[in-house]
Amino acid sequence: MILEHIGLNQINGSLVVLDDVPGVSYDEVVELHLDNGTTRTGRVVMVEENRCVIQVFEGSSGLSLVNTRTVFTGHPMMMDLSPELQGRILDGLGRPIDGQGDIYPVARRDVNGAPINPVSRVYPRNYIHTGISSIDCLTTLIRGQKLPIFSGSGMRHNELAVQIVQQASVSDGSDFAIVFAAMGVKNDVAEYFRDSFVSTGAMDRVVMLLNLANDPIIERIITPRAALTVAEYLAFDLGKNVLVILTDMTSYCEALREFSSSKGEIPARKGFPGYLYSDLASLYERAGIIKGSTGSVTQIPILTMPGDDITHPIPDLTGYITEGQIVLDRAMDATGIYPPVAVLPSLSRLMKDGIGAGYTRDDHVTLANQLFACYAKVQDAKALASVIGEEELSESDKLLMQFGREFEHRFIGQGNTNRSMEETLDLGWELLAGLPRAALDRCDDQPLDTYYEPARKRRLRRQAMLDAQPAPKAE
């Protein structure tokens, strides 16, 4: 028997209040029927004895305290799931908006999901290839990992997200899919994402969820949960390796702050709710690999740091939960280096267990350590040059400065190219070959003998040929 509750007790913005409704559950989906025959959807966001507060997705404009009829469905927000989701574009609640018809579900799941039981987790191994040298070599993305990108307002993180979607792959050739969720984006950005994926053919393996800036904030709060529900279905029901890209988590957190404020909750740091940490953890901890499954869920949340402040609550709490971060540098971005990855503050805590012999190449660990060490020395040389001038530096410091320029413009600033892991590692040794062996930190001589010495000889031969060429005649 379906019960309809006639009328509302209060209307406050997008929140409505009903009294004397026993047995209502938190997160339960509600249908509100209006006199004009339309139906709106809501969600129970607060329960106090027999009183409940409902957040209306489409807003409360046109609702009446007298004639609105409310029906409680008895279940939380559910997501229709099917293998045909790949290649489709959905709204923030998982409803098709691409004009290709409805989804015929083979399963329906609660979008709230649950974090993976630690006992059932498999330790992440092997890597996901992105084609971006600064990520693949120095902050390698491991299957089952959650590795956020910390960006800033106006930087090219959207372009980086598109490039990762277009180039990402797994080395063993297993089934691979991407779930892309955009939250609070403008119409032109949404069109950019859609056109980029369709024009390159990447859309065939992508499930895209779009929540626009003018969509309800409650939909924005549901969007990453709907995306992760799709990813879990593709990974653990269909056995695919799934990469989930969530952009922009700052829009999500600001929607959560607005939502919390409308409920009258006591704010914490910078007005965000005190449960922001646990809320983010409920999303990020849905990444991983489960025993007995061939699939995996890997996450790349992208967030813009307000005021480029890495200590802001959103990046701060994200860093506590995730296994590393990729930080984009505004100074590099201003000089035209793309992608502007700041190597030194970036790290991937799981890369040591998913690279090297059997995964990438036996010299990967040594090369990454050498590049980190030498680039750190470059920063010291830059600091000294800012005081005494580059002309007054020692020969070794001048070589470091030259290495730093080549590293930033050739290795980091690769543009929209797709490099294989072999090309990335070979380029790293070629850049290190510009430094004498004594300048390297010898953590392992074998890769230096195998890769550095041949690269060093090739570089010296090339320089000798250039030096032997006659100088151009002055006109």
Side-chain angles (χ1 to χ4, degrees):
M1 181 174 63
I2 299 177
L3 293 178
E4 286 189 341
H5 299 267
I6 307 298
L8 302 169
N9 293 94
Q10 293 180 37
I11 298 176
N12 181 15
S14 62
L15 298 178
V16 299
V17 179
L18 269 177
D19 289 334
D20 300 322
V21 281
V24 174
S25 302
Y26 181 77
D27 262 349
E28 186 173 347
V29 173
V30 178
E31 295 177 355
L32 296 98
H33 302 279
L34 281 64
D35 277 350
N36 60 8
T38 61
T39 300
R40 297 186 188 178
T41 305
R43 186 177 67 141
V44 176
V45 296
M46 186 182 298
V47 179
E48 296 176 346
E49 296 182 351
N50 288 341
R51 162 180 282 210
C52 71
V53 179
I54 300 167
Q55 174 91 30
V56 184
F57 289 169
E58 297 87 352
S60 59
S61 175
L63 293 183
S64 167
L65 289 174
V66 180
N67 296 325
T68 302
R69 305 185 312 280
T70 307
V71 177
F72 293 88
T73 62
H75 60 77
M77 178 67 67
M78 306 295 286
M79 180 79 188
D80 291 339
L81 301 170
S82 168
E84 67 182 53
L85 278 170
Q86 282 189 260
R88 299 298 300 272
I89 301 175
L90 316 174
D91 68 4
L93 299 178
R95 301 172 298 198
I97 55 172
D98 54 6
Q100 298 183 30
D102 295 333
I103 300 292
Y104 294 95
V106 299
R108 299 188 80 229
R109 302 274 168 78
D110 179 1
V111 298
N112 297 293
I116 299 174
N117 188 331
V119 177
S120 302
R121 285 183 178 273
V122 176
Y123 193 84
R125 301 276 183 181
N126 220 323
Y127 76 105
I128 292 179
H129 176 257
T130 67
I132 299 169
S133 294
S134 52
I135 297 176
D136 289 344
C137 179
L138 302 174
T139 54
T140 313
L141 178 63
I142 306 300
R143 293 187 208 176
Q145 184 179 12
K146 39 196 181 290
L147 185 64
I149 295 176
F150 291 177
S151 182
S153 179
M155 295 178 68
R156 300 168 69 182
H157 49 271
N158 289 333
E159 187 173 336
L160 180 59
V162 167
Q163 187 173 358
I164 292 174
V165 169
Q166 294 171 344
Q167 299 178 177
S169 63
V170 288
S171 58
D172 59 8
S174 57
D175 282 345
F176 185 67
I178 295 174
V179 177
F180 185 90
M183 294 163 281
V185 297
K186 298 178 182 177
N187 283 287
D188 58 338
V189 177
E191 280 298 318
Y192 167 69
F193 287 142
R194 185 185 293 111
D195 293 345
S196 298
F197 299 158
V198 171
S199 62
T200 59
M203 194 67 215
D204 293 339
R205 62 176 185 174
V206 174
V207 182
M208 186 176 182
L209 290 88
L210 286 177
N211 167 261
L212 301 177
N214 59 349
D215 287 334
I217 63 163
I218 190 65
E219 180 179 314
R220 197 163 306 151
I221 294 171
I222 297 291
T223 301
R225 292 173 168 80
L228 289 166
T229 303
V230 174
E232 289 164 351
Y233 170 74
L234 295 176
F236 306 131
D237 286 45
L238 303 185
K240 298 177 182 290
N241 290 295
V242 184
L243 174 61
V244 183
I245 298 178
L246 306 172
T247 180
D248 172 357
M249 289 303 294
T250 300
S251 294
Y252 167 83
C253 293
E254 289 174 346
L256 195 67
R257 176 172 61 182
E258 182 180 343
F259 177 48
S260 172
S261 177
S262 68
K263 289 195 294 180
E265 294 175 339
I266 298 173
R269 291 172 58 193
K270 295 190 181 293
F272 290 97
Y275 53 80
L276 180 62
Y277 177 89
S278 57
D279 189 275
L280 289 174
S282 71
L283 298 175
Y284 297 148
E285 293 299 340
R286 292 172 71 174
I289 308 171
I290 296 177
K291 289 179 183 176
S293 173
T294 58
S296 63
V297 175
T298 308
Q299 286 187 31
I300 299 182
I302 300 175
L303 58 91
T304 52
M305 300 177 290
D308 291 351
D309 180 12
I310 202 169
T311 65
H312 187 277
I314 302 173
D316 188 33
L317 297 178
T318 295
Y320 281 123
I321 303 166
T322 55
E323 295 109 7
Q325 69 275 332
I326 298 169
V327 182
L328 303 188
D329 184 80
R330 188 171 295 278
M332 280 189 179
D333 187 60
T335 58
I337 295 176
Y338 172 81
V341 175
V343 168
L344 297 180
S346 301
L347 79 154
S348 171
R349 295 188 181 97
L350 300 184
M351 69 176 285
K352 64 183 186 302
D353 298 309
I355 63 173
Y359 297 108
T360 54
R361 207 169 72 181
D362 59 347
D363 61 310
H364 189 160
V365 176
T366 300
L367 175 64
N369 290 338
Q370 295 286 357
L371 290 174
F372 271 122
C374 292
Y375 193 58
K377 294 176 184 176
V378 170
Q379 307 313 307
D380 295 337
K382 283 183 178 179
L384 182 60
S386 67
V387 177
I388 66 174
E390 188 171 344
E391 297 79 8
E392 301 301 321
L393 293 176
S394 65
E395 287 302 317
S396 60
D397 283 343
K398 288 180 180 178
L399 288 175
L400 280 171
M401 293 288 284
Q402 177 63 25
F403 164 78
R405 284 189 288 269
E406 291 188 14
F407 180 73
E408 289 177 355
H409 288 87
R410 295 179 59 192
F411 192 89
I412 298 176
Q414 67 181 75
N416 287 293
T417 57
N418 184 4
R419 286 184 184 152
S420 68
M421 183 61 79
E422 291 286 329
E423 290 172 333
T424 289
L425 298 179
D426 289 344
L427 176 59
W429 286 116
E430 181 183 336
L431 296 177
L432 286 175
L435 299 172
R437 185 159 178 163
L440 305 183
D441 295 329
R442 296 190 209 170
C443 53
D444 190 346
D445 280 340
Q446 189 273 325
L448 295 182
D449 293 336
T450 306
Y451 298 100
Y452 167 80
E453 290 297 347
R456 176 78 172 165
K457 292 176 181 177
R458 288 194 300 270
R459 186 173 182 120
L460 292 175
R461 280 199 303 269
R462 196 161 53 242
Q463 187 60 47
M465 292 175 60
L466 291 174
D467 293 343
Q469 292 180 356
K473 295 180 180 179
E475 295 183 1

